[in-house]
Amino acid sequence: MTLIKDRKEKIGLHVMKNENWKKPVYETNGLNVWYGTSHALKNIDLTINEKEVTAIIGPSGCGKSTYLKTLNRMVETARDVHISGNVTFMGNAILGKAMPVELLRSKVGMVFQKPNPFPKSIYENVAFGPRIHGIRNKVMLDVIVEDSLRKAALWDEVKDRLHKSAYGLSGGQQQRLCIARCLAIDPEVILMDEPTSALDPVSTHKVEELIATIKNDVTIAIVTHNMQQASRISDRTAFFLNGEIVECDRTSTLFSTPEDSRTNDYINGRFG
Amino acid sequence: MTLIKDRKEKIGLHVMKNENWKKPVYETNGLNVWYGTSHALKNIDLTINEKEVTAIIGPSGCGKSTYLKTLNRMVETARDVHISGNVTFMGNAILGKAMPVELLRSKVGMVFQKPNPFPKSIYENVAFGPRIHGIRNKVMLDVIVEDSLRKAALWDEVKDRLHKSAYGLSGGQQQRLCIARCLAIDPEVILMDEPTSALDPVSTHKVEELIATIKNDVTIAIVTHNMQQASRISDRTAFFLNGEIVECDRTSTLFSTPEDSRTNDYINGRFG
Amino acid sequence: MSSIQPSEKMRTRDVIAAAKKRERFGKLVPHILLVVTSLTVLATLGIVYTLLKETFIFFTHINVSDFVFGTEWAPFSNGSPAFGVLPLLIGTLKIALVALLIAVPVGLACAIFLSEYASPKVKKIIKPIIELLAGIPTIVYGFFALTFVTPFLQTLIPSLKLFNALSAGIVVGIMILPMIVSLSEDALSAVPATFREGAYALGSTRFETAIKVVIPAAVSGIASSIILAASRAVGETMIVSLAAGSTPAFNLDLTGSIQTMTSYIVQVATGDAGYGTTIYYSIYAVGFMLFLFTFLMNRTALYVKTKFREDY
Amino acid sequence: GGNDGSTGKSASAKEDFVLSGNLAGDGSSTVAPIMEALVEEYAQAEKDVKVSVGVSGTGGGFEKFIAGETDFSNASRPIKDEEKEKLDDAGVEYTELKIAFDGLTIVVNKENDWAKNLTVEDIEKMWVEDGTTKKWSDIDPSWPEEEIIFYAPGTDSGTYDYFNEVILQDSDLVKSATLSEDDNVLVTGIKGDKNAIGFFGYAYYDANKDSLNAVSINDIEPNSKTIESGEYEPFSRPLFVYVSNAALKEKEALRNFMDFVIDNSAEMADAVGYVRLPVTEYDEAKKQLDSVK
Amino acid sequence: MDNNLLIKTNRRIVKDSIMKWLFGTASFLLIVLIAFLFYGIGADGVGRLNLSLFTNFGSRFPEQAGLKAALVGTLSLMAVVIPVSMFIGICSAIYLEEYAVKNKWTAFIEMNISNLAGVPSVVFGLLGLTVFSRALFLGNSILAAGLTMSVLILPIIIVASQEAIRSVPDNLREASYGMGATKWQTITQVIMPSSIGSILTGSILSFSRAIGETAPLIVLGIPVIIQFLPTGPLSTFTALPMQIYDWAKRPQPEFADVASAGIIVLLVILVTMNAFAIYFRNKAMKKLQN
Ligand SMILES: Nc1ncnc2c1ncn2[C@@H]1O[C@H](COP(=O)(O)OP(=O)(O)OP(=O)(O)O)[C@@H](O)[C@H]1O
Ligand SMILES: Nc1ncnc2c1ncn2[C@@H]1O[C@H](COP(=O)(O)OP(=O)(O)OP(=O)(O)O)[C@@H](O)[C@H]1O
Ligand SMILES: [Mg+2]
Ligand SMILES: [Mg+2]
């Protein structure tokens, strides 16, 4: 772990001195996103705090993925997208030309619903990020790969076949590989979009454990359709509905005493 | 509704006299399904009763859809499928050559997860089934289309644009259109595979209401990942895990006092 | 509602009767379709039969090894006619080589631009225009080569002959460009979006994503598109007939007149050579050679495509 | 197949019957221009006779003629022995008709102000391959010491055949020559190079008189007079039509068309840049046609 | 911000922009080239684009020479090619996509189709000459040439149709089978209506190939001197590319302009056909977009 700490100090985008528990990493103000004419996110205000797990829940199509993808500007890869409002990452506005997306994304990892390893070896998958960010040194790469795989709790399972194709892994292992691939660029934040919905119960459990471990080092925003998962692993939960935020609160509060009746209906499975 | 009763008596494949509450429509004994070498269903025994809603729940990949598709033999459209065991529909064995699949399927409608109307007009979608079963008479078709759309609670919304493309409808309307399309062939059973998982809360509610209405006339088997939905709408629930049936019971019993601890874990969101 | 009772809608008896009727017809359909489909096999058999029949006669006049390994092609020579096919083969290869040198870099650049950089709008405009290029008759290209490209090149290379492999090759390259663009673009677009997402999310630029993830994943499709385009260049007839000349040449010079297998066939088909002479039969032997050549290339393309396909 | 029966006297009830039927011909592309003119004119006269003519080359034409697919065959050279044999085998009897001269013209670039006249021997010296590089000064020391650039019709053409017959006499053509099946290409080539020399049909020279110089042979300049009279010797070659006797007997329309061809060839030859034959030749052709009964 | 990372990132972004510019230029050059090609070919012919070009037969006078026979001939040729190739093509595609079980014979057929697609057009000419013209006694009729061209474009149509059929979402098939439709009903009532747009697109593009192909016609020996219009499928005829090829070889320079005019006509036909193809494609795509 110290390795990472060292690296972090060297790279940190915006060094904050007072290690306050509620230091915001992302602040979103009045965010609107349109796909063509369809208004996918409406006036979102949301703060994501450092070294917390923030869960985003809501029925299908409510804009969860859209929100997550706005945070690393992947949303702009879709056709005909319009964005207004303000999003800051560690104090820097990320929308518009101010920050190159490549820079933002090298600070913010993302894990997708379906595991998406590259058609390369396990090693090459993890080394991909460091490589494109200019690390050529073999020893350094080896260290980063091992370190990342260990943190993703995958090292023991794959250390004997690092140079075999990533497709030989099971779905759950692939997903943890994708998390390792994120960790290798030493991100400040990891965004996860339903990372366990395609996994079996055992793999799901492993990924949840992994989240519990890495949240000591990394800020996590996770989209999930599994209310129980949200309540198990997150510190704060935001409930989205039809492109709006209905409610956002400490997870325990939101699940026990939601303010809005729609939240109540949703977490009790009355729809969605 | 008497209309339907009349029709049913004339059509019944296998007329049963004693209208016992628990008359089985489908009986499954020792059913095994393999996709190539992967064993998707293992020794399934399950009975589906007439005019009940049977819910099938379980985590992703446990074989829910496979089971449902065995009931109308759609499973055979996949490559390299092997089936063993015995399934009877109203007393007739359906596997093997005994019964033409087209006949079986004209008695058993199916509704899919993603609404899948044909790229035709609303009218043509509903008239599709009757037409392929040989009904040419325009007046008769008109009657069937109206009747089916009414029963699917869609008539008022679409009556002015029957000849417009079905793709102009919202997702929820499309799903109800697919149900209407099923009803038009006057089926004994409707199989539904996560029919609301792609729908918004309001549409979900409408479809659930619809199910509550038509179950007076039609037997329904529904796959759902939403436990609350299962408990709201079904009479009996079967819990699948890894291709096996863990437990099948009256819905109220299964949700309140499950016999198997895995059922308990699942319905309490501990995995899946 | 009308007076017709819905109860009459569908009676089991009718359903069964209708189902039986359909079943009988349904059973016939695949057999009929199979027969129709097999016509394509008949076409191939027809080609092989056509070529082989006359080729055999040709080989009663000319020794097979003289044909295959001969370095002089002089069928019309008065003193000593020679039927060594290598000059035609080399001519054909020159054209294909020049064509590929033009078409591969430009085609791939264009394919990458379309699949990785261009907005859907731009793509929607450019792709049909390039497809238009694919539809232009090769005879039109032939005139283009002769009346435009050659004079232009002559200002750069004064020693360039009026008929030369270079400008014909360049124009054949232009002709096969759309094929490379469109097939490679298909291969690139077929790479699942999740790979790109994965790479972008790690902070790669589009170029890095294209080079390190997308192209490696599509390499078999790209390679097969190149081979197919090469095979098309080998089989190209009119451009070569019009612009590359009709002098069989056993050398590596690109600035002079050459003859290819295809242009020889057209030369004899329009020329004054006597019927029933060795020359007449030779076009079938050359045709058979050409057929074999493109056949092998197509097999290779297919092999590359299936054998080296990444299974995502 | 255009040789389905022609019915000459279908409207026999009337006095002036209407000819009709399908006639098919094929053969040399050199003969094509004059043939096109004839067909064009004939179509005005006999609307119901449908004549189609292909340009598959002399050999290709004979191939079809032998197979019985055509009624007549155009040739820019006399029939070869192989072809005669095949015709015999197929039982096709034919009549050979001469219809015009094509003056084979030797041309040079407009800027070439030295080579006005060449002898047959000069030409031979230039065009026969002997392993050396040919310079203008080799022919006449007063001429420039520059390499001659040769252009010639493709080896598979009647023009080349003819040149071969009178000049090369089965020696090989200079290897450095640029060959093309397309005479326009030769025209372009010679126009573009001061040291170029080439040969092709008179018609192509006729159409490009302004930009090319024709070389006199043995002091005889090629023009329609010298060619017709046979003075422009040995560089005028006759063009032929071979017609099937059986078809002639069977099809009224074919006989009618062939009469038309003989009657009008002289005029049409002039019109498209070829040269008419002496009148006696046409009379001779007419006689031959009439003898097929 | 971390300067080092920022500088490195900027350097990568600049590289990306350069490559984008490079790739974009390549594509742009291609477009310029096409414009150039069209201009280069067409410029000389514009002057000859008048009514007589369409109403006259060929003539020895360049100013009177027209395309009438060639145009009608090409249309007649397509009247054979379109039904024959589409019928066989679509039937084959349906068989291969919907019925064929993976066995040696179907694998052989598929292989055979992909090979046929790569056979040079001049070889198809030899096939047509031997089989259709000679063995089946069709001579150089519209039917013989039409069948030859049909075989030539057949593989393109089959492959395009196969792709179109494959792109019909499986959920539509499921819906149809789920209603008790037989395979054939599903094909005729769901799959065909949904894929016909894309099939037409592929077919039209291949028809434009058939219109422009010259080499097979040359090998078949299609006549060019014709002063009448074809009367039936067994009639002789001439076609646009043959006529253009012939004119281009004439001694009189004026004929070169007529050839250019002919090329313009040919290109206009092709552009129109491509426009139709694009139209059908867009319509087809819209249809399946749910
Ligand atoms: N690329 C796109 N183009 C157009 N509309 C889109 C696009 N992606 C999403 N949408 C629409 O935007 C809305 C929000 O989509 P989003 O994917 O954010 O929902 P979600 O909450 O993640 O749903 P799910 O739980 O199904 O993943 C939806 O109505 C969706 O149809
Ligand atoms: N066509 C197919 N070919 C091969 N394997 C298949 C096929 N369809 C399903 N399977 C496999 O069979 C198993 C059961 O699949 P099934 O679709 O029945 O699951 P499910 O319970 O419906 O899951 P979900 O909730 O994700 O829809 C899975 O492991 C799946 O990967
Ligand atoms: Mg989502
Ligand atoms: Mg399922």
Side-chain angles (χ1 to χ4, degrees):
Chain A
M1 284 309 141
T2 51
L3 260 177
I4 291 219
K5 277 274 152 66
D6 290 357
R7 281 159 65 200
K8 187 147 292 170
E9 257 138 47
K10 283 201 188 117
I11 302 175
L13 272 179
H14 180 104
V15 184
M16 300 220 167
K17 288 285 172 275
N18 59 332
E19 283 267 287
N20 176 340
W21 184 76
K22 281 221 166 194
K23 197 174 60 170
V25 173
Y26 269 111
E27 284 177 294
T28 310
N29 291 306
L31 174 70
N32 283 283
V33 177
W34 288 264
Y35 292 108
T37 55
S38 108
H39 202 169
L41 288 182
K42 299 166 194 159
N43 257 311
I44 303 292
D45 294 320
L46 190 63
T47 301
I48 290 171
N49 290 327
E50 196 185 34
K51 290 176 191 169
E52 275 189 5
V53 175
T54 305
I56 297 169
I57 60 170
S60 195
C62 66
K64 306 183 294 293
S65 302
T66 304
Y67 179 67
L68 212 62
K69 284 194 267 172
T70 310
L71 297 182
N72 71 348
R73 295 184 56 190
M74 289 284 284
V75 74
E76 292 165 32
T77 56
R79 301 179 51 174
D80 220 7
V81 176
H82 300 276
I83 307 178
S84 76
N86 199 20
V87 181
T88 62
F89 171 62
M90 303 183 93
N92 306 294
I94 61 164
L95 299 178
K97 304 242 171 213
M99 187 184 289
V101 287
E102 287 82 5
L103 186 62
L104 172 66
R105 289 176 193 156
S106 64
K107 296 277 134 198
V108 181
M110 185 156 188
V111 175
F112 300 83
Q113 177 166 15
K114 248 190 94 228
N116 60 350
F118 300 129
K120 299 174 186 276
S121 72
I122 293 168
Y123 182 95
E124 284 303 323
N125 262 281
V126 182
F128 184 89
R131 269 197 218 280
I132 58 168
H133 292 111
I135 299 179
R136 298 272 145 74
N137 185 309
K138 178 89 178 76
V139 181
M140 209 168 192
L141 283 175
D142 286 352
V143 172
I144 295 178
V145 169
E146 177 171 345
D147 191 36
S148 310
L149 285 170
R150 272 189 200 286
K151 275 189 276 166
L154 197 61
W155 175 252
D156 292 330
E157 292 163 55
V158 301
K159 62 170 182 254
D160 300 326
R161 46 168 169 158
L162 283 179
H163 298 284
K164 296 267 159 65
S165 164
Y167 286 134
L169 301 176
S170 76
Q173 290 173 321
Q174 288 187 8
Q175 195 62 300
R176 278 180 286 146
L177 177 64
C178 292
I179 295 175
R181 190 172 64 183
C182 272
L183 291 172
I185 56 168
D186 188 26
E188 301 290 326
V189 182
I190 298 186
L191 310 172
M192 300 184 168
D193 193 352
E194 309 202 21
T196 65
S197 71
L199 304 186
D200 60 291
V202 180
S203 303
T204 301
H205 185 67
K206 285 205 176 151
V207 171
E208 287 186 8
E209 272 186 342
L210 177 55
I211 291 173
T213 326
I214 59 175
K215 80 172 190 179
N216 296 321
D217 299 303
V218 193
T219 307
I220 293 173
I222 180 169
V223 167
T224 175
H225 67 261
N226 184 326
M227 251 77 61
Q228 283 83 357
Q229 182 172 71
S231 72
R232 271 196 304 271
I233 61 170
S234 72
D235 300 303
R236 284 158 54 81
T237 300
F239 173 52
F240 278 56
L241 188 61
N242 290 330
E244 292 177 72
I245 290 202
V246 174
E247 198 167 344
C248 176
D249 214 329
R250 305 236 51 195
T251 300
S252 49
T253 319
L254 187 126
F255 276 90
S256 56
T257 51
E259 278 176 14
D260 198 296
S261 67
R262 288 170 298 174
T263 315
N264 195 33
D265 284 356
Y266 181 70
I267 60 183
N268 289 305
R270 249 162 254 137
F271 65 86
Chain B
M1 282 313 140
T2 52
L3 276 174
I4 294 215
K5 276 273 153 69
D6 290 354
R7 282 156 62 198
K8 192 142 288 171
E9 256 137 50
K10 286 208 184 107
I11 301 174
L13 270 181
H14 178 107
V15 184
M16 301 221 165
K17 286 288 170 281
N18 60 331
E19 283 267 288
N20 177 339
W21 183 77
K22 282 219 166 196
K23 196 174 62 170
V25 174
Y26 269 111
E27 285 176 295
T28 310
N29 291 306
L31 174 69
N32 283 282
V33 176
W34 289 264
Y35 291 109
T37 56
S38 110
H39 201 168
L41 287 181
K42 299 165 194 160
N43 258 311
I44 302 292
D45 293 321
L46 190 63
T47 302
I48 290 171
N49 291 326
E50 196 186 33
K51 292 176 191 169
E52 274 189 8
V53 175
T54 305
I56 297 169
I57 59 170
S60 195
C62 66
K64 305 182 295 292
S65 302
T66 304
Y67 178 67
L68 211 62
K69 284 196 264 171
T70 311
L71 297 183
N72 71 347
R73 295 183 56 190
M74 289 283 285
V75 74
E76 293 165 32
T77 55
R79 294 182 53 179
D80 218 8
V81 175
H82 301 277
I83 307 177
S84 78
N86 200 19
V87 181
T88 62
F89 171 62
M90 302 183 93
N92 305 293
I94 61 164
L95 300 178
K97 303 241 173 217
M99 187 184 290
V101 286
E102 288 83 7
L103 186 59
L104 172 67
R105 290 177 194 156
S106 67
K107 297 278 137 199
V108 181
M110 185 155 188
V111 176
F112 301 82
Q113 176 166 14
K114 242 190 100 226
N116 58 354
F118 298 123
K120 298 173 189 267
S121 71
I122 294 169
Y123 182 96
E124 284 303 323
N125 263 281
V126 183
F128 181 87
R131 269 196 219 280
I132 59 168
H133 292 111
I135 296 179
R136 296 273 145 74
N137 184 308
K138 177 87 179 75
V139 182
M140 215 173 203
L141 284 175
D142 287 351
V143 173
I144 295 177
V145 169
E146 178 170 346
D147 191 37
S148 310
L149 285 171
R150 272 188 200 284
K151 275 189 274 166
L154 196 61
W155 175 251
D156 292 330
E157 292 163 56
V158 302
K159 64 170 180 248
D160 299 327
R161 45 168 171 163
L162 284 179
H163 297 285
K164 295 268 158 64
S165 165
Y167 287 170
L169 300 176
S170 76
Q173 289 174 322
Q174 289 189 5
Q175 195 62 299
R176 278 181 285 147
L177 177 64
C178 292
I179 296 175
R181 190 172 61 182
C182 271
L183 292 172
I185 56 168
D186 191 25
E188 301 290 327
V189 181
I190 298 186
L191 310 172
M192 299 184 170
D193 193 351
E194 309 202 21
T196 65
S197 71
L199 304 188
D200 59 291
V202 180
S203 304
T204 301
H205 184 67
K206 285 205 176 151
V207 171
E208 287 187 8
E209 271 187 342
L210 178 55
I211 292 174
T213 326
I214 60 175
K215 82 172 190 179
N216 296 320
D217 300 302
V218 193
T219 307
I220 292 173
I222 180 169
V223 166
T224 174
H225 68 262
N226 182 327
M227 252 76 61
Q228 283 83 357
Q229 182 172 71
S231 73
R232 272 197 304 272
I233 61 170
S234 73
D235 301 300
R236 283 159 53 80
T237 300
F239 173 51
F240 278 55
L241 188 60
N242 290 331
E244 294 178 71
I245 289 201
V246 173
E247 196 166 347
C248 174
D249 213 330
R250 304 237 52 197
T251 300
S252 50
T253 319
L254 187 126
F255 277 89
S256 56
T257 52
E259 279 177 14
D260 198 297
S261 66
R262 289 170 297 174
T263 317
N264 195 31
D265 284 355
Y266 181 71
I267 60 182
N268 288 306
R270 248 161 257 137
F271 66 87
Chain C
M1 273 203 208
S2 96
S3 59
I4 294 177
Q5 289 296 307
S7 61
E8 291 172 30
K9 275 189 203 165
M10 285 170 51
R11 278 164 297 156
T12 301
R13 189 159 43 84
D14 294 346
V15 170
I16 292 179
K20 282 215 170 118
K21 203 169 128 199
R22 287 195 309 257
E23 198 185 318
R24 250 176 281 135
F25 178 64
K27 279 204 175 120
L28 261 181
V29 167
H31 298 293
I32 299 168
L33 291 180
L34 177 61
V35 169
V36 175
T37 308
S38 302
L39 287 179
T40 57
V41 177
L42 225 55
T44 305
L45 288 183
I47 288 175
V48 172
Y49 167 79
T50 298
L51 296 176
L52 276 185
K53 196 180 69 161
E54 312 282 23
T55 302
F56 276 132
I57 303 179
F58 175 74
F59 284 131
T60 60
H61 299 209
I62 303 292
N63 205 318
V64 178
S65 71
D66 288 350
F67 177 72
V68 177
F69 301 111
T71 58
E72 198 190 354
W73 184 261
F76 308 105
S77 168
N78 301 310
S80 50
F83 289 89
V85 81
L86 287 183
L88 297 188
L89 206 63
I90 291 216
T92 302
L93 291 180
K94 277 185 204 168
I95 295 291
L97 194 76
V98 174
L100 287 180
L101 283 177
I102 295 290
V104 170
V106 182
L108 287 188
C110 193
I112 294 172
F113 179 74
L114 288 180
S115 87
E116 305 299 314
Y117 286 95
S119 72
K121 238 187 221 153
V122 171
K123 188 168 162 179
K124 219 171 145 188
I125 297 170
I126 294 190
K127 241 198 149 176
I129 296 184
I130 290 176
E131 267 165 10
L132 193 62
L133 210 50
I136 295 174
T138 55
I139 176 173
V140 175
Y141 280 111
F143 289 121
F144 181 66
L146 193 60
T147 58
F148 247 80
V149 178
T150 302
F152 173 72
L153 286 179
Q154 276 172 333
T155 62
L156 304 177
I157 314 167
S159 68
L160 196 70
K161 302 270 167 38
L162 186 63
F163 296 108
N164 61 80
L166 191 60
S167 45
I170 289 173
V171 174
V172 171
I174 296 173
M175 185 210 72
I176 60 172
L177 249 172
M179 196 167 175
I180 293 191
V181 173
S182 144
L183 290 179
S184 301
E185 204 270 328
D186 286 349
L188 291 172
S189 298
V191 173
T194 59
F195 291 173
R196 288 189 189 87
E197 283 175 356
Y200 290 145
L202 290 167
S204 341
T205 61
R206 280 177 191 268
F207 178 64
E208 287 158 352
T209 308
I211 293 295
K212 299 202 166 116
V213 177
V214 182
I215 293 178
V219 75
S220 66
I222 293 174
S224 92
S225 85
I226 293 173
I227 301 174
L228 284 179
S231 135
R232 187 76 195 275
V234 163
E236 173 42 39
T237 310
M238 295 316 292
I239 300 175
V240 185
S241 297
L242 285 165
S246 50
T247 322
F250 189 69
N251 58 35
L252 298 176
D253 174 31
L254 291 178
T255 62
S257 168
I258 59 157
Q259 188 161 45
T260 66
M261 297 191 272
T262 50
S263 65
Y264 175 70
I265 296 175
V266 167
Q267 184 192 16
V268 175
T270 55
D272 292 338
Y275 171 55
T277 56
T278 312
I279 293 174
Y280 168 82
Y281 293 115
S282 72
I283 66 172
Y284 287 90
V286 172
F288 186 64
M289 190 83 183
L290 187 62
F291 176 77
L292 271 189
F293 213 70
T294 51
F295 175 81
L296 288 179
M297 291 179 83
N298 290 317
R299 298 307 306 151
T300 315
L302 208 69
Y303 177 78
V304 165
K305 196 168 168 184
T306 49
K307 257 288 165 340
F308 301 100
R309 178 171 48 210
E310 283 76 17
D311 287 310
Y312 356 97
Chain D
N3 53 348
D4 28 330
S6 81
T7 47
K9 295 178 180 169
S10 55
S12 52
K14 285 192 178 178
E15 286 212 2
D16 50 340
F17 59 80
V18 184
L19 273 178
S20 67
N22 296 327
L23 306 180
D26 203 330
S28 168
S29 53
T30 313
V31 187
I34 186 168
M35 208 28 102
E36 177 180 48
L38 287 164
V39 170
E40 191 182 354
E41 290 301 318
Y42 188 68
Q44 305 297 319
E46 292 290 346
K47 291 218 158 28
D48 289 330
V49 181
K50 297 176 172 173
V51 189
S52 66
V53 184
V55 286
S56 304
T58 305
F62 276 126
E63 186 189 344
K64 297 197 154 137
F65 192 56
I66 293 161
E69 291 165 11
T70 49
D71 302 309
F72 60 94
S73 202
N74 307 323
S76 58
R77 57 161 167 80
I79 189 164
K80 291 197 167 156
D81 291 340
E82 291 102 324
E83 289 158 346
K84 270 185 195 151
E85 257 170 50
K86 296 255 180 192
L87 277 170
D88 278 347
D89 294 348
V92 178
E93 284 180 34
Y94 62 89
T95 305
E96 178 187 277
L97 307 169
K98 269 191 217 169
I99 59 168
F101 279 125
D102 181 16
L104 197 155
T105 314
I106 307 237
V107 293
V108 292
N109 188 279
K110 203 83 193 165
E111 285 172 49
N112 181 327
D113 49 13
W114 55 91
K116 303 275 185 209
N117 181 45
L118 291 169
T119 62
V120 173
E121 292 71 42
D122 290 340
I123 294 170
E124 214 178 290
K125 202 164 156 194
M126 276 182 177
W127 285 91
V128 172
E129 175 65 37
D130 58 4
T132 64
T133 310
K134 320 255 174 158
K135 298 208 168 93
W136 285 107
S137 51
D138 297 344
I139 309 298
D140 184 329
S142 68
W143 291 354
E145 202 179 324
E146 284 180 66
E147 193 184 333
I148 310 175
I149 310 292
F150 294 97
Y151 289 89
T155 40
D156 192 16
S157 67
T159 318
Y160 178 87
D161 258 8
Y162 191 71
F163 191 76
N164 173 37
E165 204 169 287
V166 296
I167 299 292
L168 304 176
Q169 285 155 354
D170 285 354
S171 326
D172 276 330
L173 190 77
V174 273
K175 286 245 154 57
S176 66
T178 295
L179 303 181
S180 172
E181 300 303 313
D182 185 344
D183 292 345
N184 276 329
V185 164
L186 303 176
V187 171
T188 318
I190 299 163
K191 271 182 196 169
D193 196 326
K194 193 177 165 191
N195 289 308
I197 188 168
F199 66 91
F200 39 67
Y202 178 73
Y204 285 83
Y205 166 68
D206 198 44
N208 294 282
K209 269 188 173 132
D210 303 339
S211 42
L212 293 171
N213 283 345
V215 178
S216 300
I217 308 297
N218 295 340
D219 288 324
I220 310 283
E221 158 191 0
N223 56 41
S224 44
K225 278 215 188 67
T226 54
I227 297 171
E228 185 187 340
S229 67
E231 279 175 84
Y232 185 68
E233 213 222 355
F235 285 115
S236 54
R237 60 165 174 162
L239 302 176
F240 302 90
V241 171
Y242 290 84
V243 57
S244 154
N245 289 352
L248 264 184
K249 286 177 201 158
E250 188 189 328
K251 298 185 183 182
E252 194 76 19
L254 180 61
R255 184 174 291 279
N256 185 279
F257 176 63
M258 282 303 153
D259 284 340
F260 185 88
V261 167
I262 302 302
D263 292 344
N264 295 279
S265 278
E267 193 187 330
M268 291 306 141
D270 292 348
V272 298
Y274 291 101
V275 176
R276 59 173 72 205
L277 301 172
V279 191
T280 50
E281 295 267 12
Y282 291 115
D283 292 342
E284 178 58 31
K286 194 106 193 181
K287 261 184 220 140
Q288 277 187 322
L289 261 189
D290 289 342
S291 70
V292 181
K293 275 276 146 53
Chain E
M1 286 257 184
D2 178 353
N3 259 336
N4 195 12
L5 186 63
L6 191 62
I7 291 170
K8 263 192 200 160
T9 309
N10 274 336
R11 202 177 295 147
R12 290 168 46 220
I13 293 171
V14 168
K15 188 172 173 191
D16 182 55
S17 314
I18 293 175
M19 294 317 284
K20 176 181 180 173
W21 190 83
L22 216 80
F23 293 150
T25 311
S27 312
F28 178 72
L29 276 182
L30 208 58
I31 308 286
V32 172
L33 193 83
I34 295 168
F36 197 61
L37 200 146
F38 274 46
Y39 171 79
I41 293 298
D44 295 339
V46 180
R48 256 310 258 117
L49 278 182
N50 48 28
L51 195 64
S52 68
L53 186 69
F54 301 96
T55 55
N56 287 6
F57 288 111
S59 167
R60 66 181 180 281
F61 307 109
E63 61 279 9
Q64 281 174 24
L67 286 167
K68 191 174 173 184
L71 212 53
V72 175
T74 288
L75 292 180
S76 317
L77 182 69
M78 295 319 287
V80 173
V81 171
I82 292 173
V84 170
S85 63
M86 280 194 78
F87 174 75
I88 302 180
I90 294 177
C91 282
S92 304
I94 290 175
Y95 180 77
L96 293 170
E97 283 305 306
E98 299 292 327
Y99 285 100
V101 270
K102 288 269 166 281
N103 61 22
K104 285 211 173 115
W105 179 240
T106 51
F108 177 71
I109 292 178
E110 294 246 17
M111 180 201 93
N112 178 67
I113 290 167
S114 75
N115 287 330
L116 215 50
V119 173
S121 56
V122 70
V123 173
F124 280 104
L126 294 174
L127 168 80
L129 183 67
T130 313
V131 176
F132 299 127
S133 282
R134 300 264 155 80
L136 298 180
F137 300 106
L138 295 177
N140 42 28
S141 62
I142 292 171
L143 194 58
L147 291 176
T148 306
M149 288 296 187
S150 299
V151 178
L152 190 148
I153 63 169
L154 197 53
I156 313 177
I157 295 192
I158 294 178
V159 172
S161 307
Q162 274 183 286
E163 260 160 32
I165 290 173
R166 222 176 290 147
S167 71
V168 175
D170 267 343
N171 67 25
L172 293 186
R173 285 185 185 82
E174 281 175 355
S176 174
Y177 290 135
M179 307 285 300
T182 60
K183 200 157 202 164
W184 185 239
Q185 285 174 322
T186 305
I187 290 168
T188 52
Q189 293 178 39
V190 177
I191 296 173
M192 274 302 121
S194 308
S195 58
I196 195 72
S198 312
I199 292 178
L200 277 180
T201 305
S203 306
I204 293 173
L205 293 177
S206 74
F207 298 150
S208 60
R209 167 110 191 258
I211 286 184
E213 272 295 352
T214 319
L217 298 180
I218 290 178
V219 176
L220 277 176
I222 298 305
V224 288
I225 301 171
I226 268 189
Q227 294 282 332
F228 57 89
L229 295 180
T231 49
L234 291 175
S235 227
T236 46
F237 76 110
T238 190
L240 274 178
M242 279 306 280
Q243 186 70 69
I244 293 169
Y245 187 58
D246 182 59
W247 278 335
K249 287 182 142 188
R250 292 305 176 84
Q252 295 79 0
E254 294 83 9
F255 270 114
D257 296 346
V258 190
S260 284
I263 287 177
I264 294 176
V265 173
L266 195 54
L267 287 179
V268 167
I269 293 176
L270 291 176
V271 172
T272 315
M273 287 177 67
N274 278 48
F276 267 110
I278 293 162
Y279 169 76
F280 279 122
R281 172 161 53 205
N282 290 344
K283 217 170 127 179
M285 262 153 77
K286 226 176 247 158
K287 198 168 184 187
L288 287 181
Q289 246 158 33
N290 189 1

